[in-house]
């Protein structure tokens, strides 16, 4: 399943409608990123730019103009011109013709003419929607265009009077996913679930963390996907480093391994974490902590419902985790007081979830004015509680030290309650042990 140009057009229609009359929106894609001598990182378009255009080439800027009268708007795409020699070296370009014919721009100009050609598009508009504060280079370019437009005052031109962050419109559009977007995220989730299943089936003591990462990458790659973020494959105490990405240590018999890895499909991300025993069997301590995290996760998923506020699943998870830590003797005291004083943060120091979409940490405000916003149908959020006992934590019995656990799934808020996109990968102790024994 892929989106069509008709789908991207509908998004531009909605943006234009919200901009109001006599306005202009300018959105640029991301720059290519240098890795080291003559080698770039594989290119990935800016998510909001791609959301509106479906155009995946670098060096492109989209402009949408509304007019004083009528509902029609004009969509201009600045992009790279076709160039036989450059295309022999670096690959196909749609060019100006392709921008119009394949990508349905009303007109297209060469990107190297941006500075000259964009100024007339901004002249005498009342509002300019743009994304400032992303890169200094683009901020300076916008400043230059405004300066040029203002200099035209004696010829009857002027710069837009109001500058508005375009993200205020696009982020809100992206936050609530359409049925098609959910379908794409379901595909990404299914592939990622398959990758985690394969990891559970192939892990063995003494395997290197990167070798296990390669098993995940094989499934992503053979499905035409790339990782949505740097994979975390942390054995034993490495699981207690929240953003561990070195993945270069051997996996030890008797340890758990935490894998936080998932792919993106057609620029839509998934985000899965599973934690399982390297040798296929949980120890009593691992199992005890694991089941607390699982209980917290299941309850938090169930709390991800229309009308509940964004923080509510976190509060539900914190309560269960804190109670569990007290029951096992890792924390002492009254559960409510331990929550109030945030004593649980010794073992659970991150949030329980984030918006998920084209970006793994997706756009969309978490608060409206002062208050955490309420869940609405079509929002997608992760639920990912964890417990991490530092290897040098002298406040707890030695048997708990160095155990790190997180369980993460992707949830769509629906009229019928939480829909778990990532359900294809097992997560109870029994299911995991059974899969790993087979
Ligand atoms: N994988 C990034 C996160 O879980 O937030
Ligand atoms: Mn996450
Ligand atoms: Mn994750």
């Amino acid at each position: 399943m892929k989106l069509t140009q008709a789908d991207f057009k509908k998004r531009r229609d909605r943006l234009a409608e919200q901009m109001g009359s006599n306005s202009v929106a300018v959105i640029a894609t991301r720059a290519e990123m240098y890795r080291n001598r003559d080698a770039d990182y594989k290119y990935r378009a800016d998510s909001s730019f791609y959301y509106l255009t479906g155009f995946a080439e670098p060096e492109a800027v989209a402009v949408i103009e509304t007019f004083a009268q009528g509902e029609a708007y004009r969509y201009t795409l600045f992009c790279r011109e076709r160039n036989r020699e450059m295309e022999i070296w670096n690959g196909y370009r749609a060019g100006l013709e392709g921008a119009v014919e394949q990508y349905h721009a009303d007109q297209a100009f060469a990107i190297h003419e941006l500075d000259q050609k964009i100024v007339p598009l901004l002249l005498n508009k009342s509002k300019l929607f743009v994304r400032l504060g992303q890169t200094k280079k683009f901020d300076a370019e916008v400043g230059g265009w405004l300066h040029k437009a203002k200099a035209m005052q004696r010829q009857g031109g002027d710069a837009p009077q109001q500058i508005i962050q375009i993200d205020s419109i696009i982020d809100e559009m992206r936050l609530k996913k359409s049925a098609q977007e959910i379908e794409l995220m379901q595909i990404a989730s299914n592939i990622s679930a398959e990758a985690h299943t394969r990891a559970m089936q192939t892990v063995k003591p003494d395997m290197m963390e990167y070798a296990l990462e390669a098993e995940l990458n094989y499934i992503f790659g053979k499905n035409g996907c790339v990782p949505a973020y740097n994979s975390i494959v942390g054995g034993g105490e490495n699981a207690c480093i929240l953003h561990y990405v070195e993945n270069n240590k051997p996996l030890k018999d008797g340890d758990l391994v935490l894998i936080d890895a998932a792919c993106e499909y057609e620029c839509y991300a998934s985000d899965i974490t599973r934690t399982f025993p390297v040798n296929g069997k949980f120890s009593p301590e691992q199992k005890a902590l694991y089941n607390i995290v699982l209980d917290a996760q299941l309850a938090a998923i169930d709390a991800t419902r229309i009308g509940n506020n964004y923080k509510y699943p976190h509060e539900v998870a914190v309560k269960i985790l804190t109670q569990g830590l007290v029951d096992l003797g890792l924390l002492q005291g009254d559960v409510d007081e331990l929550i109030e004083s945030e004593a649980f943060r010794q073992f659970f120091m991150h949030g329980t979830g984030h918006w998920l979409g084209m970006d793994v940490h997706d756009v969309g405000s978490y608060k409206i004015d002062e208050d955490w916003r309420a869940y609405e149908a079509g929002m997608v959020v992760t639920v990912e509680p964890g417990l991490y006992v530092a290897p040098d934590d002298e406040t707890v019995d030695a048997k708990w030290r160095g155990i790190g656990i997180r369980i993460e799934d992707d949830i769509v808020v629906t009229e019928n309650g939480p829909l778990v996109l990532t359900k294809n990968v097992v997560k109870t102790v029994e299911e995991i042990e059974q899969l790993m024994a087979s």
Side-chain angles (χ1 to χ4, degrees):
M1 191 268 185
K2 286 186 200 291
L3 297 175
T4 65
Q5 271 306 312
D7 300 317
F8 293 109
K9 178 177 177 299
K10 277 190 209 135
R11 295 169 173 179
R12 295 192 294 272
D13 293 349
R14 284 175 62 204
L15 171 66
E17 201 181 288
Q18 292 179 72
M19 285 162 57
S21 62
N22 196 36
S23 297
V24 58
V26 179
I27 182 154
T29 196
R30 289 186 59 230
E32 287 173 288
M33 268 190 52
Y34 177 75
R35 183 170 181 273
N36 61 349
R37 194 172 163 80
D38 284 351
D40 286 338
Y41 285 101
K42 193 175 166 71
Y43 185 70
R44 161 63 153 78
D46 174 81
S47 296
S48 289
F49 175 85
Y50 188 81
Y51 179 84
L52 292 174
T53 63
F55 192 74
E57 291 182 29
E59 298 184 74
V61 173
V63 179
I64 292 186
E65 297 162 82
T66 62
F67 300 95
Q69 268 147 16
E71 283 176 19
Y73 63 90
R74 181 164 62 181
Y75 164 37
T76 304
L77 189 58
F78 289 87
C79 63
R80 301 178 305 188
E81 287 178 298
R82 297 209 66 177
N83 177 317
R84 187 166 165 76
E85 191 177 356
M86 291 304 285
E87 288 182 51
I88 287 171
W89 283 90
N90 297 328
Y92 174 76
R93 297 173 168 194
L96 309 188
E97 259 178 35
V100 172
E101 278 164 22
Q102 296 165 47
Y103 294 93
H104 299 190
D106 297 310
Q107 59 179 357
F109 297 119
I111 188 74
H112 67 83
E113 292 189 311
L114 179 66
D115 279 345
Q116 304 85 284
K117 292 267 166 64
I118 201 170
V119 175
L121 308 183
L122 311 183
L123 278 184
N124 294 324
K125 295 294 188 193
S126 38
K127 293 181 245 171
L128 167 64
F129 290 86
V130 74
R131 184 164 47 183
L132 295 175
Q134 194 95 341
T135 67
K136 283 187 179 161
K137 180 171 173 285
F138 186 69
D139 292 356
E141 280 175 347
V142 174
W145 304 332
L146 292 174
H147 182 79
K148 281 190 189 150
K150 250 200 153 17
M152 312 255 320
Q153 277 175 335
R154 280 185 307 281
Q155 287 94 326
D158 204 352
Q161 294 302 306
Q162 286 185 59
I163 316 288
I164 300 171
Q165 287 284 38
I166 194 169
D167 291 348
S168 61
I169 300 180
I170 300 177
D171 291 4
E172 207 53 30
M173 287 169 65
R174 283 177 51 190
L175 176 58
K176 278 166 252 161
K177 276 74 179 171
S178 68
Q180 286 171 310
E181 291 180 290
I182 305 281
E183 213 177 306
L184 294 170
M185 294 181 75
Q186 182 68 72
I187 294 170
S189 297
N190 290 350
I191 297 165
S192 300
E194 185 187 338
H196 277 261
T197 303
R198 183 181 174 94
M200 287 180 195
Q201 289 171 322
T202 48
V203 69
K204 281 196 204 64
D206 302 326
M207 190 173 182
M208 297 300 286
E209 292 165 341
Y210 51 68
L212 195 53
E213 183 182 1
E215 299 289 339
L216 300 155
N217 286 338
Y218 171 69
I219 299 294
F220 299 160
K222 113 182 153 92
N223 286 286
C225 293
V226 292
Y229 51 90
N230 287 333
S231 301
I232 296 171
V233 181
E237 63 188 55
N238 296 334
C240 299
I241 303 168
L242 298 178
H243 292 161
Y244 176 78
V245 290
E246 284 97 350
N247 303 349
N248 59 2
K249 307 285 183 323
L251 294 162
K252 295 193 207 122
D253 199 353
D255 277 354
L256 295 175
V257 56
L258 181 155
I259 298 184
D260 184 345
C263 67
E264 65 174 34
Y265 175 78
E266 293 290 314
C267 288
Y268 281 84
S270 50
D271 187 5
I272 302 184
T273 308
R274 288 291 184 269
T275 311
F276 50 92
V278 170
N279 64 14
K281 195 100 187 102
F282 285 84
S283 74
E285 289 76 24
Q286 291 165 351
K287 183 169 171 173
L289 285 173
Y290 187 92
N291 279 330
I292 295 169
V293 178
L294 183 59
D295 286 348
Q297 204 237 9
L298 292 172
I301 290 173
D302 192 59
T304 308
R305 288 175 183 273
I306 293 175
N308 286 347
N309 78 43
Y310 161 73
K311 269 284 174 198
Y312 182 63
H314 178 68
E315 287 160 11
V316 166
V318 162
K319 185 136 194 160
I320 293 172
L321 294 173
T322 308
Q323 180 69 57
L325 289 164
V326 169
D327 293 345
L328 294 182
L330 283 92
L331 283 176
Q332 289 82 34
D334 175 71
V335 170
D336 289 334
E337 279 169 23
L338 292 166
I339 293 172
E340 180 67 29
S341 66
E342 300 198 336
F344 64 86
R345 290 184 65 87
Q346 181 180 346
F347 306 105
F348 178 44
M349 58 298 276
H350 59 76
T352 298
H354 50 81
W355 305 136
L356 181 71
M358 297 183 78
D359 295 311
V360 65
H361 289 178
D362 207 30
V363 294
S365 61
Y366 287 90
K367 280 188 162 179
I368 293 184
D369 299 326
E370 298 285 289
D371 299 318
W372 295 112
R373 71 188 298 165
Y375 290 113
E376 296 169 50
M379 292 177 170
V380 182
V381 67
T382 65
V383 175
E384 50 179 306
L387 286 175
Y388 314 89
V389 187
D392 58 355
D393 188 339
E394 305 262 329
T395 71
V396 301
D397 195 298
K399 67 183 180 181
W400 303 112
R401 292 179 203 154
I403 299 179
I405 295 162
R406 177 164 66 255
I407 309 172
E408 174 173 30
D409 283 301
D410 305 343
I411 315 300
V412 187
V413 181
T414 81
E415 301 285 350
N416 303 318
L419 169 72
V420 184
L421 292 174
T422 43
K423 63 180 181 326
N424 281 6
V425 52
V426 296
K427 63 180 172 182
T428 68
V429 165
E430 296 70 29
E431 287 166 339
I432 291 172
E433 289 187 346
Q434 198 178 7
L435 176 73
M436 295 184 72
S438 63

